[in-house]
C-alpha cells in the first residue's frame, strides 16, 4: 500500500512539474494509428502533445520525432505504446533511449511493457533491471522484423514460382508490334525504325522486346 501511494505521488509530481508527451509512429500513411492514439489519451496526454509520424522507420528522418526532441525538457514524461516505436533496429532503439533518458533527462513509459517505466526503480537495481529488459526487448523487436522480412521474401519467391505476377500489368503492345519486332529480329529494319513503327522510344521498344521474347507480351 505504501509503495502504491509513493508511485501515485511520484506520478502526480511529474504531471505538475513536467509536461506529458506521447509519440506515435505507423509504418505508412495508410496505416491506422487509432490504437496508439487511444492509449495516449487514456494516459491523459493532451492532443497537442501527441506527435505522430506516418512513415517507415527504415530511415530515422522523422519530422515529428525531431519536433518532439526539441520540445522535451528535463522532468518531462514520454509515453510510447511499444519499444519498437523508438527505432528501426536494436542499436537505434538503444541510442534513442540513451538520448531521451540521459541527454534530455526525461522519463519514458512503454505502455505494453510496464517494466520499462523509468519513473519506477530509480535505484541501482531498478535501473539495471530496466536496462536489461530494454536490451532484451530491443533484440526481440529487431529479430521479429527480420523474421517478417524473411517470411515476406519467401512468400514472394513461392508466389513467383507459381506464376503469380506482382506490380501493375503491362500496357498492351501497340498494333503492329509483332510485325515490327520480327522485321527487327530478321535485320530488315533497325531498332530505331522498329521503335518508330510502334510509336515508342527506342529504350521502351528494347524493354518490351525482352518481355515479348520471354513472356509473349
Amino acid at each position: 500500500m505504501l509503495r502504491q501511494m509513493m508511485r501515485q505521488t511520484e506520478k502526480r509530481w511529474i504531471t505538475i512539474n513536467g509536461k506529458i508527451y506521447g509519440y506515435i509512429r505507423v509504418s505508412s500513411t495508410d496505416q491506422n494509428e487509432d490504437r496508439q492514439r487511444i492509449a495516449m489519451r487514456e494516459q491523459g496526454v493532451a492532443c497537442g502533445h501527441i506527435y505522430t509520424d506516418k512513415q517507415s522507420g527504415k530511415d530515422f528522418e522523422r519530422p515529428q520525432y525531431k519536433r518532439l526532441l526539441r520540445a522535451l525538457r528535463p522532468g518531462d514524461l514520454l509515453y510510447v505504446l511499444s519499444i519498437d516505436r523508438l527505432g528501426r533496429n536494436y542499436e537505434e532503439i538503444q541510442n534513442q533511449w540513451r538520448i531521451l533518458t540521459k541527454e534530455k533527462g526525461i522519463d519514458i513509459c512503454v505502455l505494453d511493457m510496464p517494466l520499462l517505466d523509468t519513473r519506477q526503480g530509480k535505484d541501482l537495481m531498478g535501473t539495471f533491471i530496466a536496462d536489461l529488459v530494454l536490451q532484451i526487448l530491443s533484440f526481440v523487436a529487431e529479430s521479429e522484423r527480420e523474421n517478417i522480412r524473411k517470411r515476406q521474401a519467401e512468400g514472394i519467391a513461392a508466389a513467383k514460382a507459381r506464376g503469380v505476377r506482382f506490380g501493375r500489368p503491362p500496357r498492351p503492345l501497340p498494333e503492329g508490334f509483332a510485325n515490327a519486332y520480327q522485321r527487327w529480329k530478321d535485320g530488315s529494319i533497325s531498332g530505331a525504325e522498329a521503335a518508330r513503327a510502334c510509336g515508342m522510344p527506342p529504350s521502351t521498344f528494347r524493354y518490351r522486346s525482352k518481355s515479348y521474347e520471354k513472356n509473349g507480351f
Side-chain angles (χ1 to χ4, degrees):
M1 178 65 71
L2 178 60
R3 180 176 296 181
Q4 183 178 2
M5 290 175 62
M6 289 175 65
R7 287 179 180 173
Q8 290 174 347
T9 301
E10 183 179 14
K11 188 172 182 180
R12 286 198 297 270
W13 183 91
I14 292 171
T15 302
I16 294 171
N17 294 280
K19 294 180 180 180
I20 302 177
Y21 293 91
Y23 179 66
I24 295 172
R25 178 175 64 80
V26 290
S27 60
S28 61
T29 55
D30 59 355
Q31 187 175 345
N32 196 304
E33 74 272 13
D34 286 352
R35 177 171 169 260
Q36 295 181 63
R37 192 170 295 278
I38 291 170
M40 299 300 165
R41 289 176 179 169
E42 288 176 349
Q43 300 302 318
V45 184
C47 292
H49 283 181
I50 298 175
Y51 291 75
T52 305
D53 277 309
K54 295 184 178 182
Q55 63 187 79
S56 172
K58 180 170 142 182
D59 61 29
F60 216 59
E61 297 301 317
R62 300 180 293 175
Q64 291 301 308
Y65 184 78
K66 288 183 175 181
R67 285 188 60 203
L68 171 63
L69 288 179
R70 290 194 295 269
L72 291 170
R73 296 293 181 269
D76 288 344
L77 170 63
L78 175 64
Y79 283 107
V80 292
L81 183 61
S82 58
I83 193 62
D84 61 355
R85 300 302 87 187
L86 290 179
R88 58 185 173 177
N89 55 42
Y90 174 85
E91 182 180 355
E92 201 150 51
I93 292 172
Q94 295 279 338
N95 186 48
Q96 294 304 315
W97 187 274
R98 178 189 59 77
I99 290 171
L100 292 167
T101 59
K102 306 300 183 186
E103 297 183 12
K104 291 292 183 179
I106 71 162
D107 279 302
I108 305 176
C109 178
V110 180
L111 294 173
D112 67 0
M113 179 50 61
L115 284 173
L116 289 180
D117 185 343
T118 60
R119 296 170 296 174
Q120 303 175 18
K122 293 287 188 179
D123 57 6
L124 182 61
M125 180 57 69
T127 301
F128 171 76
I129 292 173
D131 287 347
L132 183 61
V133 172
L134 173 65
Q135 291 185 40
I136 293 171
L137 291 179
S138 301
F139 175 77
V140 170
E142 182 174 359
S143 297
E144 180 59 22
R145 280 191 294 271
E146 290 294 333
N147 289 334
I148 289 173
R149 282 194 289 266
K150 183 178 179 182
R151 290 194 295 269
Q152 287 175 338
E154 290 173 348
I156 291 172
K160 286 183 176 179
R162 296 195 304 270
V164 176
R165 302 188 185 280
F166 294 89
R168 295 179 180 178
R171 292 181 179 179
L173 291 170
E175 187 176 351
F177 179 89
N179 180 265
Y181 168 81
Q182 192 58 52
R183 293 172 62 201
W184 169 63
K185 293 295 286 185
D186 292 344
S188 302
I189 58 176
S190 67
E193 291 171 326
R196 281 196 299 272
C198 297
M200 295 178 171
S203 59
T204 302
F205 177 78
R206 289 193 297 270
Y207 173 78
R208 297 304 299 270
S209 294
K210 290 179 181 179
S211 176
Y212 184 76
E213 292 171 359
K214 184 178 180 180
N215 304 308
F217 57 83

